[in-house]
């Protein structure tokens, strides 16, 4: 019983004292932002409402699994203190299928989609209906050292060849990428599969697709892991370990998100002078890479006591001003296309053109209520990358995904 008291206290605090005074509190649950950008957005939109409502920004756990677990438990209990939900881009289908979030329709839908990048909108859509609005997005680029590599590689094959040449010269040569048994490994596989012209699921998300592109993707992962380009810690590395390895000077290449740029500038100013970026490497020379996007989508809870206000508030939270603040102060790439021509954004993101190009050709993770099981099937089968057997590993993934898609219910 005692363990429940902090959660109950949190829920009561979230309700706020404004309800009795006639000003509803709209509770926004989102990831914990250390920059202050999200709190600033909540305050701006509260003021812009003209006293009709106040937005309370409530921080979810730091880890994505913890965020999802808290939301799932409270929605399953039909908790009416949840209004706006910050969803990972893989959750909309699951939450929509469970009828936990409301569809965006009419004028709210028009405003949500106007000027918004096409691929992020796909993460908010399930069965042809919009269930959330993209708040921010993210994508990986290729980061490299210009003192080691005058011209960046265009393909994975070229990158591995360059890494091998550097290794033979006794120079830093590792390719830093996410090889640990977690979501990042699934993202790597999804990116390579999509870049090879394939997909993990078919168009209707009713059965696995995979095929030759997936086998090729698995082969590239295995080839890197068994080459001189592989960091010895590859099978345990996530995004932050990749960042640290690059900053330490042992790597020549890094596949990672834009947060590595300001980090390198702060932590290793000398190496930063030669820190450059380029488009994500291609699988085929004549086919653009399709890096997998991340980000957060804003949904309105099916149990909200103030759904109309929640839709209005969500639109305000992701408007031009607040997305620009989130980008400049929080490092979160915007979903409004026009902001990529904003001088302030372009100055802070000198790689904004590459980010926009990546987003416009990007891929999304499989859209299915069973995504958690799909991701586990991929990451567990492909770990460690050096042990991948392309054809048999992909066949194993196919069988596990087929089983996952046949199951029903919410994954705990």
């Amino acid at each position: 019983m005692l363990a429940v008291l902090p959660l109950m206290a949190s829920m009561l605090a979230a309700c706020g004292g404004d309800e009795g005074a006639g000003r509803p509190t709209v509770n926004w649950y989102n990831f914990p932002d250390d920059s202050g950008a999200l709190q600033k957005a909540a305050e701006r939109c509260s003021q812009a409402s003209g006293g009709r409502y106040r937005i309370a920004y409530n921080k979810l756990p730091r880890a994505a699994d913890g965020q999802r677990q808290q939301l799932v438990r409270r929605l399953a209990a039909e908790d009416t203190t949840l209004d706006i939900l910050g969803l990972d881009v893989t959750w909309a289908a699951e939450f929509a299928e469970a009828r936990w979030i409301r569809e965006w329709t009419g004028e709210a839908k028009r405003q949500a989609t106007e000027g918004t990048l096409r691929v992020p909108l796909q993460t908010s859509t399930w069965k042809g209906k919009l269930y959330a609005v993209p708040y921010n997005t993210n994508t990986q680029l290729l980061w490299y050292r210009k003192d080691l590599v005058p011209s960046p590689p265009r393909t994975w094959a070229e990158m591995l060849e360059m890494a091998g040449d550097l290794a033979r010269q006794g120079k830093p040569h590792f390719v830093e990428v996410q090889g640990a048994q977690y979501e990042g490994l699934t993202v790597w596989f999804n990116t390579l599969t999509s870049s090879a012209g394939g997909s993990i699921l078919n168009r209707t998300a009713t059965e696995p697709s995979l095929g030759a592109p997936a086998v090729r993707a698995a082969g590239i992962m295995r080839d890197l892991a068994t080459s001189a380009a592989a960091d010895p810690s590859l099978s345990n590395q996530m995004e932050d370990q990749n960042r640290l390895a690059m900053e330490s000077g042992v790597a020549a290449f890094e596949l990672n998100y834009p947060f590595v740029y300001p980090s390198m500038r702060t932590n290793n100013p000398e190496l930063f002078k030669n820190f450059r970026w380029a488009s994500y490497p291609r699988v085929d020379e004549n086919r653009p890479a399709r890096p997998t996007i991340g980000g957060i989508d804003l949904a309105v809870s099916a149990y909200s006591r103030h759904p109309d206000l929640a839709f209005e508030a969500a639109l305000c939270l992701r408007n031009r001003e607040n997305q620009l603040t989130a980008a400049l102060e929080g490092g979160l790439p915007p979903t409004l296309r026009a902001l990529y021509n904003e001088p302030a954004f372009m100055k802070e993101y000198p790689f904004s053109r590459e980010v926009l190009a990546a987003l416009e050709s990007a891929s999304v993770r499989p859209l299915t209520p069973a995504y958690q099981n799909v991701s586990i099937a991929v990451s567990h089968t492909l770990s460690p990358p050096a042990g991948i057997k392309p054809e048999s590993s992909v066949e194993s993934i196919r069988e596990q995904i087929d089983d996952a898609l046949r199951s029903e219910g919410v994954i705990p």
Side-chain angles (χ1 to χ4, degrees):
M1 179 64 182
L2 291 176
V4 179
L5 291 177
L7 177 60
M8 293 180 64
S10 165
M11 291 165 61
L12 289 171
C15 293
D18 295 322
E19 300 285 350
R23 184 170 74 150
T25 295
V26 175
N27 286 302
W28 175 29
Y29 285 82
N30 214 331
F31 65 87
D33 167 48
D34 298 325
S35 73
L38 272 66
Q39 180 61 41
K40 188 176 294 185
E43 293 170 358
R44 281 175 178 161
C45 292
S46 296
Q47 186 174 7
S49 77
R52 291 183 301 110
Y53 60 82
R54 178 182 74 89
I55 299 176
Y57 164 45
N58 301 275
K59 296 183 179 181
L60 290 168
R62 194 162 293 275
D65 287 346
Q67 294 170 21
R68 178 181 167 278
Q69 186 178 61
Q70 182 179 135
L71 292 177
V72 164
R73 288 179 174 178
R74 294 177 66 173
L75 290 166
E78 301 184 6
D79 187 341
T80 60
T81 65
L82 302 177
D83 296 303
I84 302 173
L85 314 176
L87 305 183
D88 184 274
V89 290
T90 65
W91 299 345
E94 176 188 3
F95 282 41
E97 194 72 10
R99 298 184 180 180
W100 287 338
I101 53 179
R102 297 171 184 262
E103 181 186 356
W104 287 66
T105 60
E107 178 61 16
K109 179 180 180 181
R110 186 195 68 77
Q111 292 184 46
T113 56
E114 186 176 29
T116 299
L117 291 166
R118 175 186 59 83
V119 177
L121 276 171
Q122 293 178 18
T123 69
S124 303
T125 304
W126 176 238
K127 293 183 177 178
K129 297 180 179 180
L130 188 71
Y131 282 97
V133 57
Y135 173 66
N136 69 273
T137 187
N138 219 342
T139 187
Q140 293 190 336
L141 297 176
L142 169 64
W143 306 88
Y144 67 98
R145 284 179 52 174
K146 190 172 178 59
D147 57 326
L148 298 173
V149 184
S151 298
R154 283 176 54 83
T155 66
W156 277 85
E158 187 179 353
M159 182 168 63
L160 293 186
E161 183 179 350
M162 288 182 176
D165 288 341
L166 290 170
R168 285 186 287 273
Q169 297 172 48
K171 296 180 179 180
H173 56 275
F174 293 147
V175 174
E176 300 298 333
V177 68
Q178 299 80 52
Q181 188 183 101
Y182 80 120
E183 179 66 13
L185 191 61
T186 301
V187 168
W188 184 17
F189 177 69
N190 187 74
T191 292
L192 292 177
T193 300
S194 299
S195 298
S199 61
I200 293 177
L201 299 184
N202 65 3
R203 288 185 178 276
T204 56
T206 53
E207 60 183 29
S209 177
L210 299 168
V215 173
R216 190 155 183 219
I220 291 173
M221 297 170 76
R222 189 271 318 275
D223 290 346
L224 168 60
T226 56
S227 74
D231 189 302
S233 301
L234 172 63
S235 62
N236 295 310
Q237 285 198 314
M238 301 182 186
E239 290 88 350
D240 212 44
Q241 287 76 35
N242 299 147
R243 172 187 68 82
L244 292 170
M246 192 75 180
E247 290 176 1
S248 74
V250 300
F253 305 97
E254 176 183 12
L255 287 309
N256 217 328
Y257 299 95
F259 81 100
V260 302
Y261 182 79
S263 180
M264 178 67 81
R265 180 173 54 199
T266 299
N267 296 334
N268 194 332
E270 191 61 31
L271 198 154
F272 178 75
K273 296 175 183 177
N274 286 296
F275 195 49
R276 298 292 186 272
W277 59 89
S279 299
Y280 197 95
R282 301 181 175 200
V283 170
D284 295 308
E285 175 69 30
N286 60 353
R287 192 197 309 266
R290 300 190 63 205
T292 304
I293 64 167
I296 295 294
D297 299 331
L298 300 183
V300 173
S301 168
Y303 308 110
S304 170
R305 290 174 295 179
H306 314 291
D308 291 341
L309 294 179
F311 279 113
E312 179 184 335
L315 287 170
C316 179
L317 289 170
R318 54 90 65 182
N319 68 15
R320 181 186 178 92
E321 181 182 18
N322 289 325
Q323 284 207 38
L324 183 59
T325 299
L328 298 181
E329 298 181 13
L332 303 175
T335 58
L336 294 173
R337 195 188 189 288
L339 284 177
Y340 287 85
N341 295 320
E342 176 69 34
F345 178 74
M346 296 175 72
K347 181 179 179 180
E348 186 67 19
Y349 284 69
F351 37 83
S352 60
R353 294 184 185 278
E354 287 81 3
V355 170
L356 178 59
L359 291 171
E360 291 185 325
S361 65
S363 61
V364 299
R365 280 167 269 193
L367 301 175
T368 170
Y371 179 76
Q372 302 301 316
N373 274 349
V374 170
S375 180
I376 289 171
V378 172
S379 62
H380 283 219
T381 302
L382 299 179
S383 177
I388 293 172
K389 298 178 180 177
E391 292 188 358
S392 61
S393 294
V394 168
E395 183 56 32
S396 177
I397 292 171
R398 175 189 296 279
E399 293 172 356
Q400 293 179 60
I401 289 178
D402 193 52
D403 289 342
L405 295 178
R406 294 176 188 275
S407 65
E408 297 180 354
V410 175
I411 302 162

